[in-house]
Each structure stands twice: as structure tokens, then as C-alpha cells.
Amino acid sequence: MVPEPGGFRSVHETRGTVPRRAMYVYRAPFQLRLRLEFPETGAVTTVLFLLQPEDADSTRVHTRVLVSAGPGAPLPAPDVVAEEVAARRRMLAEDLDLQGRLAAAGLPLQLRDELHLPSDRPGVALRRTLADFAAGRGRFARRDGAAS
């Protein structure tokens, strides 16, 4: 987890049957980029989520999916791209369904309001970033410590 001005960056690597590297870059309050790299093939999938608030209770989610089969490989076939898009839609629908089941609207921004485990570092970073934004520190500090 690496804090950055206006958000954070994190990397998660798995070494299972299909090793992959997932890089998340969040910029408060409206942008999340996920880049999935598959080292064995060189394939990369990048998903960009942009949030557009509509009112106090509604936000439109715009998603872009970019797919590469890897260096020297032909462009992914339309059915491969369609499956990637469908997979991202399913994941977003699951997240929205889960969010809809929670009793509270939104996320508690005070870290003491919830119990956090070491595996929840991205969740803690998200809450800190949103708390800074909500407190009027939305432009955040530059790397040299000065306000931007």
C-alpha cells in the first residue's frame, strides 16, 4: 500500500495455477484503475472505473475494459473481450448487491468505527483518502508536503 497525493496505489500478487499481479490505483473521489498482469503470457487487462454522482443516493459507474493478449500475440478475439466485459459487469453487480445489503449507507470514514484486519489495508487506505477529501483536503498534499 503506497499513499499518493489524492489517493493510493497497491499491488497484490498471486502465485497459484495462473500467477497474476493486480495493481490498483485510486484517485479520490471518482476514479479506480485496476491492471491485471499475467506474467506467463504477458497478457494484460486494465479496467478503469469512473464514478459520476447523480444525487445524494445515486452514482453512475462508467467502466472501460482494455485487453491485451501479450507481446507479439494477435489482438484478443471479440468473444474474449466480450467475456472480459461480462466478468467485470458480474463483479460490479456482486459488489453493488453486497453494498445494498448493508444497513448503513456509505462507508464509515473514522477508522475507529470498524475493526480492521491487516488484510484490509486497501479498505483502510480508501477510508483515509475519502476522509481527507471530505475534510476539504481534496487537493491533498504534494509529495514535497506542500498543499496543491
Side-chain angles (χ1 to χ4, degrees):
M1 190 63 48
V2 179
E4 296 180 340
F8 61 90
R9 173 183 308 266
S10 70
V11 177
H12 179 74
E13 294 188 26
T14 58
R15 303 186 201 287
T17 308
V18 180
R20 77 173 189 190
R21 182 176 197 212
M23 293 174 285
Y24 300 84
V25 178
Y26 177 72
R27 294 291 175 261
F30 305 121
Q31 179 183 326
L32 172 67
R33 183 183 54 185
L34 166 61
R35 178 181 167 98
L36 300 171
E37 296 177 352
F38 300 90
E40 289 184 355
T41 63
V44 175
T45 298
T46 300
V47 185
L48 179 63
F49 298 96
L50 300 171
L51 307 178
Q52 177 185 358
E54 295 181 320
D55 58 40
D57 299 318
S58 177
T59 299
R60 184 176 302 266
V61 179
H62 300 275
T63 306
R64 293 293 173 253
V65 179
L66 304 132
V67 182
S68 167
L75 292 174
D79 60 327
V80 171
V81 174
E83 179 50 39
E84 280 291 332
V85 170
R88 302 305 153 209
R89 284 185 176 155
R90 283 191 304 272
M91 290 172 54
L92 182 57
E94 290 170 8
D95 289 347
L96 293 173
D97 181 58
L98 180 61
Q99 182 67 32
R101 294 175 192 224
L102 298 176
L107 295 171
L109 300 183
Q110 299 298 322
L111 295 180
R112 67 179 177 271
D113 291 345
E114 291 185 331
L115 173 64
H116 298 282
L117 303 173
S119 61
D120 190 33
R121 278 180 282 211
V124 170
L126 174 63
R127 285 165 172 77
R128 284 184 174 145
T129 299
L130 290 173
D132 284 348
F133 184 82
R137 297 182 296 266
R139 299 213 185 276
F140 309 101
R142 295 189 317 228
R143 290 184 190 269
D144 62 8
S148 59

